[in-house]
Amino acid sequence: MSADNIAQTLLAVRDALHHFTASLSRSGFAAGADSYRQMAAIVVGQQLWARDQGVNSFDERFREIAMLAIEVHRQLQPYVQAMEQIGALLELVPPPPRYPEESIEGRVVSHLAAARRPLSTTQIGTALGVASTTIRRILNNLDKEEILTKTGSTNRPQWGLRRA
């Protein structure tokens, strides 16, 4: 396995899922779900009524419809399972950064993540080429959002990235 192999796989999977989604949309697949829910409610209600009334002349047709529904389910289930498995990637992949990398907030967060130890306001400002007053304001905002930890004295805090 290599990074190139992963990149090729991700492109192929993305393209396949885009194609599949577009195909389902064009066919009206999602829009048809309500009709099938209504149809299911009606036919189950009718079967219950027929049973309560002692009408059994439709039993074979109800059984045939049930078997067809089970066959549709059998064919769709592998797709549902595969999409659930792929969808579980959201639990494995870290969420996207809250701030774009090019924003000052993103640069501060990236710098603190790379530092792996708490830094002073001056150290951060100097490294990023940003005035200490601007850095102080951003650090306080990030602290309020519970992205950072603050250690040291009140006058000269050291800032670090809060770890999950």
Side-chain angles (χ1 to χ4, degrees):
M1 186 173 312
S2 68
D4 286 342
N5 180 265
I6 292 171
Q8 289 174 359
T9 298
L10 292 174
L11 286 173
V13 170
R14 184 197 65 196
D15 291 349
L17 291 176
H18 274 302
H19 177 75
F20 193 38
T21 300
S23 177
L24 290 172
S25 294
R26 279 192 308 274
S27 72
F29 188 77
D34 282 339
S35 298
Y36 279 89
R37 278 195 275 290
Q38 289 174 351
M39 180 177 61
I42 289 168
V43 75
V44 168
Q46 289 177 340
Q47 196 281 327
L48 292 172
W49 180 89
R51 187 187 67 195
D52 288 348
Q53 300 301 312
V55 178
N56 58 7
S57 57
F58 299 109
D59 285 354
E60 191 54 40
R61 289 189 214 170
F62 283 123
R63 189 173 294 106
E64 179 185 9
I65 287 171
M67 296 304 291
L68 286 170
I70 289 169
E71 177 59 20
V72 169
H73 183 268
R74 186 191 67 75
Q75 290 185 38
L76 291 176
Q77 190 61 29
Y79 290 94
V80 170
Q81 289 171 338
M83 296 309 126
E84 286 173 345
Q85 188 175 4
I86 294 169
L89 286 170
L90 284 178
E91 301 298 321
L92 302 173
V93 177
R98 186 178 291 181
Y99 301 102
E101 282 186 34
E102 62 277 359
S103 73
I104 186 65
E105 292 87 352
R107 291 175 56 210
V108 167
V109 169
S110 293
H111 184 68
L112 287 171
R116 298 188 181 266
R117 65 177 177 82
L119 300 174
S120 70
T121 303
T122 304
Q123 288 172 314
I124 298 166
T126 300
L128 299 179
V130 177
S132 290
T133 54
T134 302
I135 291 294
R136 193 172 298 110
R137 178 182 49 79
I138 289 167
L139 290 170
N140 285 324
N141 288 340
L142 292 172
D143 185 41
K144 287 177 190 168
E145 293 181 35
E146 298 183 349
I147 294 171
L148 304 180
T149 59
K150 184 171 29 173
T151 58
S153 69
T154 306
N155 294 338
R156 296 194 181 272
Q158 299 280 308
W159 299 92
L161 200 56
R162 187 178 301 269
R163 304 290 176 196

